[in-house]
């Protein structure tokens, strides 16, 4: 207890030094927890954007369609017949499902044209599966019996389209015959997903099906579940009850359909780990450096303690308790400051990503709370502070008291 | 003898009194003769493509080899030198000079315009004779570019894969050249026109050596396709069509 009291006294005796070292540790903790919060928030945004605007939670497709889906073929399509509807209605935790037909087209304004992805959707069902309606900035989402087109705001701006204008889609049918479709623009959306804003046009499912000669078949049936946690259960159910009956069908989760995004985030995750490791290494070197300097400054004091009969291990212990004390003070300050920073990120977010960054997110990036990041960085700080104090203390106590008192290094 | 004269007289009179259209060609016969001029089993052409879009003008030079249903388009102008398009069967590939592997042009790319011009990759893919793809009927006869021509309409045959569901063709009555073609979408919208600007005779064959293609959905856009040299009996090695 004496050693603890002595260590605490040493810490309070040099308030300025203790505070400076603790603040260095605290800023490290703040940086770490805020960076971690932002990275996880960014990742969450990517995934939400894929689920909310591209793939839903699950997709039922023809197995031969799946490997070629990027080419947007109009072969190996899926028929949503009564039997399938009945089976789908039994999927556990299913909120809604919607057939859609995606196809490659050129959007034309009479002066020029651009390649886009057109999506034939049932407007009513779409509302329940995707979050398009929440992001309408003009007009409305068409219903099942309505005509019209909904397109992304960037695409509308680029092509000079406004609500009520007619756009022309040029595409080839399932048989490879050129066809055109003139549709009135009834809605414009501005979503957090740049793919939707820049490259997609939604038209009614029946209209698309008729123009493509696809006989009411869909490229996929997109499903939205009540929560993210029920994906595996629903997937298993579909495998066992639908795919087992129609073996040319297959079910894929949003992770399967967004492999590019998942791969990108995995790479990013590795980058983040490297950055974090470097940061922790620098922080550890900082802590070690500060404690070494503190030990050097007090070399005469150590000589004095030895001359007064203090044992070597007791001196080392004092240094370790001091190191731990600095670590605790730094962790408390850092956690409080980091908490405020993360709160700010969670509620107000940051403008981080340029629209052309290549990842499906354009809006402000919001942080997320991650308690494990706090626990990890505090534990790391305490261990480093503790371990870092051993070496300089050991080095100092190895000196003869005469040498130490004489200031011989 | 008098009886023989009478029979001869009746025969000549019958021929003269036949309605004017009795010896006229059918739509299929006209297109067959047109196809005979237009479609080549084997050829090597040195060509020029002039793409005009508003004030912008882009010239590309190419050597084209055709053998059966295989086509190679090799660019020779400095900017694109070495770039090749290769059509083998139903697949279209592009080879860039500095890239190792050829790249297959995906289905979704086929409907897009080729080299920013007025025709699509899919147009390059279509090598079949028109008679194989469409049912034809003569809808009129009119003068086009000062030449008497048949106006023929074609509707895609059922079950046959073709890019345009409907065509209108002005066929030169004397040379059986397609003076103008209008190409329509399934919905009936005019997508492209192809007009013959220069026609030359090579032996018995008449061939269009300069044509103008207009993509009607893009304002102020026009592509001129000019043949600078043509060899109808070239020696093309098999390696030309290898990837």
């Amino acid at each position: 207890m004496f050693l603890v009291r002595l260590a605490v006294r040493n810490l309070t005796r040099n308030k300025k030094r203790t505070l400076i070292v603790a603040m260095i540790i605290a800023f490290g903790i703040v940086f770490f927890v805020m960076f971690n919060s932002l990275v996880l928030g960014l990742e969450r945004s990517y995934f939400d954007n894929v689920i909310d605007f591209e793939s839903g939670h699950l997709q039922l497709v023809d197995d031969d369609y799946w490997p070629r889906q990027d080419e947007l073929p109009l072969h190996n399509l899926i028929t949503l017949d009564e039997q399938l509807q009945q089976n789908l209605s039994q999927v556990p935790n299913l909120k809604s499902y919607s057939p859609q037909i995606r196809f490659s087209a050129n959007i034309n304004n009479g002066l020029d044209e651009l390649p886009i992805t057109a999506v034939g959707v049932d407007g009513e069902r779409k509302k329940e599966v995707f979050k398009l309606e929440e992001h309408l900035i003009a007009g409305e989402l068409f219903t099942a019996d309505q005509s019209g087109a909904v397109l992304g705001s960037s695409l509308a701006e680029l092509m000079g389209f406004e609500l009520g204008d007619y756009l022309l889609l040029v595409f080839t049918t399932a048989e490879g015959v050129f066809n055109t479709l003139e549709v009135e623009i009834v809605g414009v959306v501005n979503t957090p997903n740049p793919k939707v804003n820049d490259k997609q046009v939604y038209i009614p499912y029946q209209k698309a099906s008729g123009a493509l000669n696809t006989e009411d078949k869909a490229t996929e049936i997109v499903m939205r579940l009540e929560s993210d946690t029920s994906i595996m259960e629903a997937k298993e159910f579909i495998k066992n009850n639908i795919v087992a009956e129609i073996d040319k069908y297959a079910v894929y989760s949003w992770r399967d359909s967004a492999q590019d995004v998942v791969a990108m985030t995995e790479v990013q995750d590795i980058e983040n780990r490297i950055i974090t490791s470097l940061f922790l290494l620098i922080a550890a070197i900082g802590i070690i450096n500060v404690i070494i300097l503190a030990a050097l400054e007090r070399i005469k004091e150590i000589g004095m303690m030895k001359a007064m009969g203090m044992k070597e291990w007791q001196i080392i212990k004092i240094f370790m308790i001091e190191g731990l004390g600095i670590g605790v003070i730094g962790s408390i300050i850092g956690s409080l400051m980091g908490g405020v920073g993360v709160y700010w990120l969670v509620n107000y977010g940051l403008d981080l990503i340029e629209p052309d960054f290549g990842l499906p997110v354009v809006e402000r990036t919001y942080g997320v709370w991650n308690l494990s990041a706090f626990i990890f960085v505090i534990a790391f700080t305490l261990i480093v502070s503790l371990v870092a104090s051993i070496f300089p203390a050991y080095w100092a106590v190895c000196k003869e008291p005469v040498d130490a008192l004489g200031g011989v290094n | 003898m008098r009886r023989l004269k009478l029979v001869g007289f009746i025969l000549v009179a019958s021929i003269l009194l036949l309605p004017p259209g009795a010896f006229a060609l059918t739509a299929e016969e006209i297109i067959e003769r047109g196809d005979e001029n237009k479609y080549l089993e084997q050829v090597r052409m040195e060509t020029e493509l002039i793409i005009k879009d508003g004030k912008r003008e882009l010239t590309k030079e190419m050597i084209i080899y055709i053998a059966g249903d295989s086509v190679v388009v090799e660019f020779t102008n400095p900017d694109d030198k070495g770039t090749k398009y290769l059509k083998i069967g139903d697949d279209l590939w592009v080879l860039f000079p500095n890239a190792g592997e050829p790249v297959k042009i995906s289905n979704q790319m086929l409907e897009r315009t080729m080299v920013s011009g007025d025709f699509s990759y899919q147009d390059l893919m279509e090598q079949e004779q028109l008679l194989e793809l469409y049912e034809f009927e003569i809808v009129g006869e009119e003068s086009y570019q000062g030449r008497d021509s048949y106006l023929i309409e074609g509707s895609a045959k059922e079950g046959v894969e073709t890019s345009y569901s409907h065509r209108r063709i002005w066929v030169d009555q004397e040379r059986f050249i397609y003076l103008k073609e209008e190409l329509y979408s399934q919905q009936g919208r005019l997508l492209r026109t192809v007009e013959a600007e220069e026609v030359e005779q090579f032996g018995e064959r008449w061939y269009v050596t300069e044509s103008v293609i207009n993509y009607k959905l893009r304002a102020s856009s026009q592509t001129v396709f000019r043949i600078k040299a043509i060899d109808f009996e070239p020696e093309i090695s098999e390696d030309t069509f290898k990837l």
Side-chain angles (χ1 to χ4, degrees), chain A residues 140-178:
Chain A
E140 58 186 8
L141 204 61
F142 44 80
T143 54
D145 53 349
Q146 276 180 324
S147 183
V150 173
L151 73 163
S153 52
S154 313
L155 183 60
E157 195 180 333
L158 191 63
M159 297 298 285
F161 282 129
E162 287 179 5
L163 208 66
D165 286 348
Y166 279 79
L167 63 81
L168 184 73
L169 293 177
V170 186
F171 49 91
T172 49
T173 65
E175 302 88 9
V177 180
F178 276 107

Side-chain angles (χ1 to χ4, degrees), chain A residues 30-339:
Chain A
V30 171
F31 175 81
F32 180 86
V33 291
M34 285 183 72
F35 181 73
N36 179 273
S37 164
L38 207 58
V39 166
L40 288 181
L42 199 58
E43 198 174 278
R44 187 67 252 173
S45 300
Y46 304 156
F47 296 162
D48 282 348
N49 278 341
V50 170
I51 295 166
D52 293 343
F53 301 101
E54 293 180 32
S55 68
H57 285 117
L58 291 170
Q59 287 187 52
L60 186 68
V61 292
D62 187 297
D63 214 11
D64 292 330
Y65 175 84
W66 185 256
R68 298 186 62 203
Q69 60 165 332
D70 289 343
E71 291 181 29
L72 302 172
L74 290 169
H75 304 291
N76 303 116
L77 306 184
I78 192 164
T79 310
L80 183 62
D81 54 23
E82 275 185 27
Q83 180 63 48
L84 185 56
Q85 289 186 43
Q86 210 171 15
N87 287 340
L88 284 172
S89 66
Q90 290 164 10
V91 174
N93 297 310
L94 183 73
K95 188 179 174 194
S96 189
Y97 64 87
S98 174
Q100 66 176 23
I101 183 154
R102 286 185 298 139
F103 59 102
S104 161
N106 287 333
I107 185 171
N108 188 297
N109 62 4
L111 291 169
D112 216 338
E113 64 181 35
L114 281 176
I116 54 118
T117 301
V119 192
V121 292
D122 177 335
E124 280 299 317
R125 285 173 181 267
K126 187 93 180 168
K127 284 178 194 171
E128 294 162 16
V129 174
F130 292 123
K131 292 189 175 169
L132 271 187
E133 201 176 25
E134 291 172 24
H135 296 276
L136 275 166
I137 54 167
E140 58 186 8
L141 204 61
F142 44 80
T143 54
D145 53 349
Q146 276 180 324
S147 183
V150 173
L151 73 163
S153 52
S154 313
L155 183 60
E157 195 180 333
L158 191 63
M159 297 298 285
F161 282 129
E162 287 179 5
L163 208 66
D165 286 348
Y166 279 79
L167 63 81
L168 184 73
L169 293 177
V170 186
F171 49 91
T172 49
T173 65
E175 302 88 9
V177 180
F178 276 107
N179 204 2
T180 48
L181 204 55
E182 198 170 24
V183 214
E184 186 186 352
I185 298 168
V186 296
V188 178
V189 288
N190 185 16
T191 72
N193 188 325
K195 227 190 226 183
V196 174
N197 296 346
D198 301 346
K199 287 198 74 138
Q200 291 203 346
V201 175
Y202 298 93
I203 58 169
Y205 183 76
Q206 293 302 334
K207 208 168 180 77
S209 185
L212 293 164
N213 304 335
T214 46
E215 297 164 353
D216 214 12
K217 289 179 181 169
T219 48
E220 59 261 307
I221 292 165
V222 188
M223 286 166 265
R224 179 132 203 144
L225 305 173
E226 294 293 350
S227 72
D228 293 4
T229 50
S230 44
I231 293 176
M232 288 319 291
E233 187 192 354
K235 193 176 174 182
E236 276 307 304
F237 179 88
I238 295 168
K239 265 188 186 168
N240 297 333
N241 295 280
I242 297 174
V243 178
E245 279 180 31
I246 314 167
D247 67 348
K248 65 175 185 152
Y249 288 175
V251 60
Y252 294 96
S253 73
W254 67 268
R255 271 189 178 273
D256 301 319
S257 57
Q259 278 175 347
D260 291 352
V261 176
V262 172
M264 279 176 87
T265 53
E266 276 170 5
V267 171
Q268 216 175 37
D269 195 40
I270 294 168
E271 284 173 12
N272 293 336
R273 277 170 198 270
I274 292 168
I275 292 170
T276 310
S277 305
L278 283 174
F279 154 72
L280 291 174
L281 186 69
I282 292 166
I285 291 169
I287 295 168
I288 292 167
N289 189 36
V290 168
I291 291 174
I292 286 175
L293 284 175
L296 282 175
E297 226 175 64
R298 292 162 58 195
I299 192 116
K300 283 183 182 173
E301 197 181 310
I302 292 167
M304 178 80 76
M305 285 192 277
K306 275 188 90 175
M308 288 171 77
M310 209 173 229
K311 300 254 182 323
E312 287 177 355
W313 64 267
Q314 287 177 313
I315 296 169
I316 292 173
K317 211 170 178 182
I318 289 171
F319 268 79
M320 283 174 73
I321 296 166
E322 279 182 38
L324 193 66
I326 291 171
V328 169
I329 296 167
S331 297
I332 292 168
I333 300 171
S335 301
L336 290 172
M337 285 165 62

Side-chain angles (χ1 to χ4, degrees), chain A residues 331-386:
Chain A
S331 297
I332 292 168
I333 300 171
S335 301
L336 290 172
M337 285 165 62
V340 173
V342 172
Y343 174 83
W344 180 74
L345 284 176
V346 169
N347 290 288
Y348 301 103
L350 276 182
D351 264 329
L352 271 185
I353 304 281
E354 288 294 315
D356 289 336
F357 193 67
L359 285 164
V361 59
V362 284
E363 278 192 341
R364 290 179 78 79
T365 303
Y366 293 90
V368 291
W369 286 105
N370 183 19
L371 189 63
S372 59
F374 280 85
I375 294 169
F376 169 77
V377 76
I378 289 169
F380 177 84
T381 305
L382 295 181
I383 291 167
V384 169
S385 305
L386 195 69

Side-chain angles (χ1 to χ4, degrees), chain A residues 104 108 113 176 178-179 213, chain B residues 111 122 163 186-187 215 217:
Chain A
S104 161
N108 188 297
E113 64 181 35
F178 276 107
N179 204 2
N213 304 335
Chain B
E111 66 206 32
Q122 196 149 316
S163 303
Q186 183 178 285
Q187 200 203 29
Y215 183 46
L217 302 181

